């Protein structure tokens, strides 16, 4: 496709168009598109995006030197083969759809949104569809996943539109027929899903999170709700909503344009009402007069499983086919993942919100005979208001907590710890200590644990790094546990 053909497929208006008199340039073939100059190859079109930390216009010359056929800019720069538009970000989104030939039309595309549970639900959906229908993938916080394996890591839960289009295009080339995407409120608010339409959407729950980005919880909810509108859903789409959640109930009442079903572990009036029981190796879910086993743990995961089950039923899969489909599923990485069983269990979980932490600790309370020892911290440069709340929850629902560092990013980890600690101090007789070095904190938890206790290391889940002052240092809670137990 040439530069001219590509722009003709969009509604992008070129600014200062009288300057574009080079037919040779506009007839040049475009071999790829990118907004990162490091990824530029011969024949690529580079989009200069102005970000919060850097400005792509500063890298335009570098892109040309690497072989870019041209650069799309929104500022005047002295660079050959540049095309000026009003917004390079919007141009990137429109060009991405055209360059990758609207790939969402070639797949069944499901979306999952909510504060917690997105990764687990997309994981379960992809696993079941792989077994029962055809090749599928999940795309979200864990990366681009197929058949329980990471094909490629992603930096955002919901990547930029160009990256999504590229993932979808590659999936179609690999003969994948189904895809399940996690949709974050950031993506919805920032327009990363521009032009992409889904065949279905599922809502898990909503609780305080991202208050550094949203002015209020209501704004957060309204942003999440926008997924359930014609802007993002195809005309014949269906939606699946958890009505155990107060915001889920609100959303259920709000959705008018699509086929909708509800699911619940508490409300027998739901379209899909399930009960669950914890067993040693997972949970049993009783639904539609059948018992379904899955090797995942906790009430919140029972809700995730029920949501996925409801979604699969709405896809037209007979209930009998779902009885055994989850029994051999690999547990999602870092989602209440049990990394040691004897003499005491050690769990790793991604819980990094007050609601997520409370649900994990309450679930463990039902499974642990003796003490729950919690190791956790809070991330830097994120919602500061949740830190003392998480401290209070930790003090209320664990028996002993070691407060440590998470991803401090550009903040002082000791300041973050003090803010978490203030939550503990608001609870009488709370038991905790502070060890800012996360490895030392995990080691300490292992040293003090006894038979029948359980250790839960929360906050980072699947992450294999610790981000400090802009640098990601290798660090995996799971691998650290393994190393410490060897010694």
């Amino acid at each position: 496709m040439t530069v001219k053909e590509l722009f003709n497929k969009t509604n992008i208006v070129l600014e200062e168009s009288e300057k574009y008199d080079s037919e040779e340039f506009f007839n040049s073939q475009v071999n790829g598109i990118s907004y990162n100059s490091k990824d530029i190859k011969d024949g690529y079109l580079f989009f200069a995006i102005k970000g919060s930390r850097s400005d792509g216009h500063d890298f335009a010359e570098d892109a040309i030197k690497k072989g870019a056929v041209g650069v799309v800019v929104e500022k005047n720069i002295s660079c050959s083969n540049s095309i000026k538009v009003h917004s390079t970000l919007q141009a990137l989104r429109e060009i991405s759809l055209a360059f990758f030939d609207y790939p969402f039309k070639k797949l069944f595309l499901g979306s999952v949104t909510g504060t917690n549970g997105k990764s687990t639900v997309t994981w379960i959906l992809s696993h079941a569809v792989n077994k029962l229908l055809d090749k599928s993938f999940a795309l979200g916080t864990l990366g681009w996943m197929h058949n329980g394996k990471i094909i490629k890591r992603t930096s955002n839960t919901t990547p930029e539109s160009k990256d999504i289009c590229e993932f979808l295009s590659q999936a179609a080339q690999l003969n994948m027929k189904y895809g399940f995407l996690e949709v974050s409120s950031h993506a919805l608010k920032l327009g990363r899903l521009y032009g992409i339409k889904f065949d279905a959407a599922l809502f898990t729950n909503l609780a305080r999170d991202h208050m550094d980005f949203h002015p209020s919880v209501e704004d957060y909810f309204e942003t999440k709700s926008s997924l359930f509108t014609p802007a993002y859903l195809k005309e014949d789409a269906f939606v699946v909503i958890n009505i155990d959640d107060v915001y889920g109930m609100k959303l259920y009442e709000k959705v008018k344009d699509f086929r909708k079903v509800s699911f619940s572990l508490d409300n027998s009036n739901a379209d899909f009402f399930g009960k669950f029981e914890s067993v040693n190796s997972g949970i049993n879910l009783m639904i539609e007069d059948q018992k379904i086993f899955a090797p995942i743990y906790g009430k919140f995961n029972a809700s995730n499983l029920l949501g996925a089950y409801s979604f699969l039923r709405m896809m037209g899969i007979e209930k009998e086919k779902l009885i055994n489909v989850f029994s051999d599923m690999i547990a999602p990485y870092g989602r209440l993942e049990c990394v040691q069983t004897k003499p005491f269990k050690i769990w790793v979980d991604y819980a990094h919100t007050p609601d997520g932490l409370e649900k994990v600790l309450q679930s463990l309370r039902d499974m642990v005979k003796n003490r729950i020892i919690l190791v956790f911290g809070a991330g830097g440069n994120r919602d500061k208001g949740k830190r003392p709340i998480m401290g209070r929850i930790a003090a209320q629902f664990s028996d002993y907590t070691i407060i440590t560092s998470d991803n401090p990013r550009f903040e002082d980890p000791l300041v973050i710890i003090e803010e978490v600690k203030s939550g503990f101090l608001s609870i009488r007789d709370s038991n905790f200590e502070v060890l800012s070095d996360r490895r030392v904190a995990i080691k300490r938890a292992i040293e003090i644990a006894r038979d029948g206790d359980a250790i839960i290391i929360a906050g980072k889940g699947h992450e294999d790094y610790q981000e400090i002052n802009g640098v990601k240092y290798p660090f995996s809670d799971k691998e650290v546990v393994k190393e410490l137990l060897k010694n």
Side-chain angles (χ1 to χ4, degrees), residues 6 23 59 90 106 110 150 155-156 159 166 174 209-210 219 263 299 301 312 333 339 402 434 437:
L6 204 48
E23 279 298 313
F59 303 94
Q90 182 60 24
K106 302 170 186 172
I150 300 171
S155 54
N156 292 316
E166 191 166 9
L174 292 169
D209 198 15
H210 304 306
D219 180 76
F263 68 93
K299 183 178 180 181
N301 268 331
L312 294 165
Y333 303 137
V339 297
I402 302 169
V434 172
D437 185 311

Side-chain angles (χ1 to χ4, degrees), residues 1 28-33 41-45 67 69 99-100:
M1 197 178 299
S28 301
Q29 286 293 318
V30 177
N31 299 328
I33 58 177
K41 295 176 185 172
D42 234 21
Y44 272 43
L45 190 60
V69 67
F99 183 80
F100 292 106

Side-chain angles (χ1 to χ4, degrees), residues 58 90 113 179 192 197 203 229 265 288 349 362 417 423 425:
D58 297 335
Q90 182 60 24
T113 196
R192 288 184 201 147
K197 295 268 189 175
F203 179 84
T229 66
L265 290 171
E288 293 192 300
D349 191 81
Q362 284 184 330
I417 286 172
L425 298 177

Side-chain angles (χ1 to χ4, degrees), residues 13-16 20 73-76 82-86:
V13 177
L14 306 188
E15 297 193 353
E16 301 172 9
Y20 307 120
V73 299
E74 60 186 35
K75 297 195 302 192
N76 290 322
S82 63
I83 303 172
K84 189 177 178 186
V85 297
H86 175 68

